[in-house]
Amino acid sequence: MKRAATRGTRKGSFDRPQHDHARCIADALQSASMVCAAQGVRLTEQRRRVLELVWQSHRPIGAYEILDQLTDGSGRRAAPPTVYRALDFLLAHGLIHRVESRNAFIGCSHPGTEHVVEIMLCTDCGRAAEIDDQRIDRAVRAAAAEIGFRIERQTIEIDGRCGHCQARPAHA
Amino acid sequence: MKRAATRGTRKGSFDRPQHDHARCIADALQSASMVCAAQGVRLTEQRRRVLELVWQSHRPIGAYEILDQLTDGSGRRAAPPTVYRALDFLLAHGLIHRVESRNAFIGCSHPGTEHVVEIMLCTDCGRAAEIDDQRIDRAVRAAAAEIGFRIERQTIEIDGRCGHCQARPAHA
DNA sequence: AAGTGTATTGTTATACTATATCAATCAGCA
DNA sequence: TGCTGATTGATATAGTATAACAATACACTT
Ligand SMILES: [Zn+2]
Ligand SMILES: [Zn+2]
Ligand SMILES: [Zn+2]
Ligand SMILES: [Zn+2]
């Protein structure tokens, strides 16, 4: 977690397509292990495998996509509750986020810290980037305060085209 | 539409529970009629009925809830595509909004105008209020600009407790 | 008024997403 | 070891959304 600032996605932007993604995965698993230890909960093998599948790319992944890849060693496909239980655990402990507008999930880019979840989603390459912009949060809080609304959760998902994709013809 | 400013929900806040909701519905249907006329599209009876059902309360309503109430005069329940087609039409012409975090729909509080959709959702009374806060939009645009992201759509849904509900014990 | 082409609706089937329920197994501890 | 709660397995089902094609209604021309 101390190395977080050195990671591409943790800068609140989209990684270069060529970045060292193996490291993203390794870091995420490492952070998850520490977060679970700190919270006194078990990162079981199932949960670790699901987290790894979520992190296999920076694209949001659906529960059934995970399911299709989650074989039990002998090649048998798991049942839906297996994957949903793992996802629920990972959500509860802040290791992944749900992308409501896609019915899908992404790995949290700064686990173990309190933060509002703000996600940018590229409609071209399909990748997601979690940003952590205080100005958005402050603006939302101000708007809520004005009408006496007490915020419990924010769902902020911005669709558009990322910088890397804009530098190329669409869908290249 | 000229009377929009006089309507409760159009002030970007939660109506009093006792407000004249019949007028909300009537105004919404009236606005919809004008918007469709202006855009040269037909607000058919099906579409009008679905819009009316969406506006029957300020709570987001699911497609299948609409379906259950959408009888064809002789009491026969419509089929899913019927309601989804109407919803798609209403969405396409800015008469309703989809609440992604709930798989449900609400009537648009300012149809016929360009606006980003920002929704507050009360977890107590279940009602939704569409706000139109420029500060949030500006903050999102600023954050996107910084990382070279070109925004196409914003999904902003804030869960919490509305002022009316805070003035009472929970779930009263 | 009849004909023609498009938009809308009806109908059936199916895909996709998520949860309820109960049984079996596993991990940590007395 | 045996107990207890957490985790996983397995089956069934609920909830959300779309594909595909037929039938009907509408707008517009002739
Ligand atoms: Zn996060
Ligand atoms: Zn992209
Ligand atoms: Zn609106
Ligand atoms: Zn309320």
Side-chain angles (χ1 to χ4, degrees):
Chain A
M1 299 229 282
K2 294 171 195 118
R3 306 151 79 192
T6 69
R7 218 184 297 177
T9 42
R10 301 217 171 174
K11 292 195 303 257
S13 182
F14 285 82
D15 280 325
R16 287 203 179 73
Q18 324 85 341
H19 73 283
D20 181 5
H21 189 61
R23 174 146 176 217
C24 291
I25 298 174
D27 283 358
L29 294 176
Q30 169 76 10
S31 294
S33 182
M34 291 169 61
V35 167
C36 288
Q39 300 191 16
V41 294
R42 294 169 50 210
L43 184 64
T44 63
E45 182 57 16
Q46 287 270 34
R47 291 164 178 171
R48 205 193 62 81
R49 287 165 71 205
V50 169
L51 181 60
E52 195 172 0
L53 288 171
V54 169
W55 271 101
Q56 87 191 230
S57 82
H58 289 283
R59 294 181 183 79
I61 186 172
Y64 279 74
E65 285 178 79
I66 293 171
L67 203 45
D68 289 339
Q69 299 179 60
L70 195 68
T71 56
D72 71 350
S74 63
R76 272 174 48 76
R77 183 171 171 279
T82 298
V83 98
Y84 279 103
R85 281 191 285 233
L87 290 170
D88 286 345
F89 172 90
L90 297 169
L91 284 169
H93 296 91
L95 299 171
I96 63 173
H97 298 300
R98 182 178 161 82
V99 183
E100 299 288 353
S101 60
R102 302 271 229 268
N103 292 335
F105 304 85
I106 59 171
C108 175
S109 293
H110 25 264
T113 73
E114 276 299 316
H115 60 282
V116 292
V117 182
E118 302 161 345
I119 303 169
M120 303 244 179
L121 296 152
C122 183
T123 53
D124 191 341
C125 66
R127 294 183 303 162
E130 187 178 350
I131 61 177
D132 190 10
D133 189 288
Q134 295 303 123
R135 291 164 303 185
I136 297 175
D137 183 44
R138 274 196 297 270
V140 170
R141 286 176 187 283
E146 274 179 13
I147 64 169
F149 187 85
R150 183 180 300 273
I151 296 173
E152 292 170 357
R153 188 175 70 115
Q154 300 184 22
T155 300
I156 297 177
E157 299 173 7
I158 315 298
D159 293 288
R161 199 138 177 269
C162 79
H164 303 290
C165 287
Q166 284 176 61
R168 304 175 314 187
H171 308 292
Chain B
M1 297 229 287
K2 293 168 197 125
R3 306 151 78 192
T6 68
R7 217 185 297 177
T9 42
R10 301 218 169 170
K11 292 193 305 257
S13 181
F14 285 83
D15 279 324
R16 286 202 179 72
Q18 325 83 341
H19 73 285
D20 179 6
H21 189 59
R23 174 146 176 215
C24 291
I25 299 173
D27 284 357
L29 295 176
Q30 169 77 8
S31 295
S33 183
M34 292 169 61
V35 167
C36 287
Q39 300 191 15
V41 294
R42 292 170 50 209
L43 184 64
T44 63
E45 182 57 15
Q46 286 270 34
R47 292 164 177 171
R48 205 194 61 80
R49 286 165 71 203
V50 170
L51 181 59
E52 194 171 2
L53 288 170
V54 169
W55 271 102
Q56 85 191 230
S57 82
H58 289 282
R59 293 181 184 80
I61 187 172
Y64 279 74
E65 284 177 80
I66 293 170
L67 203 46
D68 289 338
Q69 298 179 60
L70 194 67
T71 56
D72 71 350
S74 63
R76 273 174 47 76
R77 183 172 172 280
T82 298
V83 97
Y84 279 103
R85 282 192 283 232
L87 290 170
D88 286 345
F89 172 89
L90 297 170
L91 285 168
H93 296 91
L95 299 171
I96 63 172
H97 297 300
R98 182 179 161 83
V99 183
E100 299 289 352
S101 60
R102 302 271 228 268
N103 293 335
F105 304 85
I106 59 171
C108 174
S109 293
H110 25 264
T113 73
E114 276 299 316
H115 59 281
V116 292
V117 183
E118 303 161 345
I119 302 170
M120 303 244 180
L121 296 153
C122 182
T123 53
D124 191 340
C125 65
R127 293 183 302 161
E130 187 179 352
I131 61 178
D132 190 9
D133 190 289
Q134 296 302 125
R135 291 165 302 186
I136 298 174
D137 183 45
R138 274 197 296 270
V140 169
R141 286 176 187 282
E146 275 180 13
I147 64 170
F149 187 85
R150 182 181 301 273
I151 296 173
E152 293 171 357
R153 188 176 70 116
Q154 300 185 23
T155 299
I156 297 178
E157 298 174 7
I158 315 298
D159 292 288
R161 199 138 177 271
C162 79
H164 303 290
C165 287
Q166 284 176 61
R168 305 175 314 185
H171 308 294

